mmCIF file of all heavy atoms in Angstrom:
data_model
loop_
_atom_site.group_PDB
_atom_site.id
_atom_site.type_symbol
_atom_site.label_atom_id
_atom_site.label_comp_id
_atom_site.label_asym_id
_atom_site.label_seq_id
_atom_site.Cartn_x
_atom_site.Cartn_y
_atom_site.Cartn_z
ATOM 1 N N GLN A 15 -18.075 -24.021 18.025
ATOM 2 C CA GLN A 15 -19.231 -23.371 18.694
ATOM 3 C C GLN A 15 -20.116 -24.506 19.305
ATOM 4 O O GLN A 15 -20.315 -25.500 18.734
ATOM 5 C CB GLN A 15 -20.080 -22.627 17.627
ATOM 6 C CG GLN A 15 -20.769 -21.433 18.263
ATOM 7 C CD GLN A 15 -21.156 -20.424 17.160
ATOM 8 O OE1 GLN A 15 -20.295 -19.880 16.487
ATOM 9 N NE2 GLN A 15 -22.431 -20.211 16.994
ATOM 10 N N GLY A 16 -20.663 -24.172 20.486
ATOM 11 C CA GLY A 16 -21.579 -25.094 21.139
ATOM 12 C C GLY A 16 -20.830 -26.024 22.081
ATOM 13 O O GLY A 16 -19.606 -25.872 22.296
ATOM 14 N N ALA A 17 -21.533 -26.884 22.723
ATOM 15 C CA ALA A 17 -20.942 -27.808 23.700
ATOM 16 C C ALA A 17 -21.567 -29.191 23.552
ATOM 17 O O ALA A 17 -22.648 -29.309 23.028
ATOM 18 C CB ALA A 17 -21.177 -27.249 25.137
ATOM 19 N N GLY A 18 -20.859 -30.155 24.061
ATOM 20 C CA GLY A 18 -21.382 -31.566 24.001
ATOM 21 C C GLY A 18 -20.609 -32.389 23.067
ATOM 22 O O GLY A 18 -19.395 -32.162 22.819
ATOM 23 N N ARG A 19 -21.242 -33.331 22.435
ATOM 24 C CA ARG A 19 -20.532 -34.257 21.558
ATOM 25 C C ARG A 19 -19.920 -33.526 20.377
ATOM 26 O O ARG A 19 -20.602 -32.732 19.718
ATOM 27 C CB ARG A 19 -21.549 -35.254 21.029
ATOM 28 C CG ARG A 19 -20.920 -36.350 20.210
ATOM 29 C CD ARG A 19 -22.003 -37.182 19.501
ATOM 30 N NE ARG A 19 -22.692 -38.076 20.404
ATOM 31 C CZ ARG A 19 -22.189 -39.241 20.813
ATOM 32 N NH1 ARG A 19 -21.026 -39.662 20.475
ATOM 33 N NH2 ARG A 19 -22.923 -40.023 21.586
ATOM 34 N N PRO A 20 -18.657 -33.794 20.124
ATOM 35 C CA PRO A 20 -18.033 -33.044 18.991
ATOM 36 C C PRO A 20 -18.589 -33.516 17.649
ATOM 37 O O PRO A 20 -18.707 -34.707 17.382
ATOM 38 C CB PRO A 20 -16.514 -33.375 19.081
ATOM 39 C CG PRO A 20 -16.326 -34.045 20.395
ATOM 40 C CD PRO A 20 -17.685 -34.570 20.826
ATOM 41 N N LEU A 21 -18.986 -32.569 16.824
ATOM 42 C CA LEU A 21 -19.464 -32.810 15.453
ATOM 43 C C LEU A 21 -18.441 -32.085 14.534
ATOM 44 O O LEU A 21 -18.375 -30.872 14.551
ATOM 45 C CB LEU A 21 -20.856 -32.187 15.286
ATOM 46 C CG LEU A 21 -21.414 -32.139 13.857
ATOM 47 C CD1 LEU A 21 -21.614 -33.544 13.261
ATOM 48 C CD2 LEU A 21 -22.748 -31.378 13.824
ATOM 49 N N LEU A 22 -17.647 -32.887 13.851
ATOM 50 C CA LEU A 22 -16.598 -32.343 13.002
ATOM 51 C C LEU A 22 -17.119 -32.251 11.561
ATOM 52 O O LEU A 22 -17.338 -33.319 10.946
ATOM 53 C CB LEU A 22 -15.363 -33.270 13.123
ATOM 54 C CG LEU A 22 -14.128 -32.888 12.315
ATOM 55 C CD1 LEU A 22 -13.607 -31.475 12.652
ATOM 56 C CD2 LEU A 22 -13.000 -33.921 12.616
ATOM 57 N N LEU A 23 -17.179 -31.072 11.048
ATOM 58 C CA LEU A 23 -17.743 -30.804 9.703
ATOM 59 C C LEU A 23 -16.539 -30.555 8.740
ATOM 60 O O LEU A 23 -15.740 -29.660 8.962
ATOM 61 C CB LEU A 23 -18.650 -29.583 9.708
ATOM 62 C CG LEU A 23 -19.841 -29.635 10.672
ATOM 63 C CD1 LEU A 23 -20.581 -28.291 10.685
ATOM 64 C CD2 LEU A 23 -20.787 -30.775 10.314
ATOM 65 N N VAL A 24 -16.522 -31.373 7.679
ATOM 66 C CA VAL A 24 -15.374 -31.258 6.717
ATOM 67 C C VAL A 24 -15.913 -30.835 5.385
ATOM 68 O O VAL A 24 -16.747 -31.534 4.784
ATOM 69 C CB VAL A 24 -14.649 -32.596 6.631
ATOM 70 C CG1 VAL A 24 -13.347 -32.397 5.789
ATOM 71 C CG2 VAL A 24 -14.345 -33.166 8.017
ATOM 72 N N HIS A 25 -15.487 -29.683 4.949
ATOM 73 C CA HIS A 25 -16.040 -29.032 3.744
ATOM 74 C C HIS A 25 -15.540 -29.747 2.469
ATOM 75 O O HIS A 25 -14.600 -30.543 2.452
ATOM 76 C CB HIS A 25 -15.677 -27.551 3.711
ATOM 77 C CG HIS A 25 -14.196 -27.253 3.629
ATOM 78 N ND1 HIS A 25 -13.496 -27.369 2.475
ATOM 79 C CD2 HIS A 25 -13.338 -26.868 4.587
ATOM 80 C CE1 HIS A 25 -12.215 -27.058 2.697
ATOM 81 N NE2 HIS A 25 -12.093 -26.730 3.981
ATOM 82 N N GLY A 26 -16.198 -29.398 1.357
ATOM 83 C CA GLY A 26 -15.869 -29.905 0.041
ATOM 84 C C GLY A 26 -14.903 -29.013 -0.689
ATOM 85 O O GLY A 26 -14.342 -28.024 -0.102
ATOM 86 N N PHE A 27 -14.724 -29.266 -1.977
ATOM 87 C CA PHE A 27 -13.818 -28.593 -2.839
ATOM 88 C C PHE A 27 -14.562 -27.753 -3.860
ATOM 89 O O PHE A 27 -15.487 -28.261 -4.471
ATOM 90 C CB PHE A 27 -12.910 -29.647 -3.571
ATOM 91 C CG PHE A 27 -12.102 -29.025 -4.709
ATOM 92 C CD1 PHE A 27 -10.871 -28.459 -4.458
ATOM 93 C CD2 PHE A 27 -12.594 -29.082 -6.014
ATOM 94 C CE1 PHE A 27 -10.125 -27.936 -5.508
ATOM 95 C CE2 PHE A 27 -11.872 -28.560 -7.024
ATOM 96 C CZ PHE A 27 -10.653 -27.966 -6.795
ATOM 97 N N PRO A 28 -14.079 -26.574 -4.208
ATOM 98 C CA PRO A 28 -13.074 -25.740 -3.525
ATOM 99 C C PRO A 28 -13.769 -24.752 -2.615
ATOM 100 O O PRO A 28 -14.080 -23.655 -2.972
ATOM 101 C CB PRO A 28 -12.390 -25.043 -4.711
ATOM 102 C CG PRO A 28 -13.533 -24.884 -5.740
ATOM 103 C CD PRO A 28 -14.591 -25.940 -5.421
#
Side-chain angles (χ1 to χ4, degrees):
Q15 212 161 296
R19 185 190 286 281
L21 170 64
L22 179 58
L23 302 174
V24 188
H25 63 77
F27 167 85

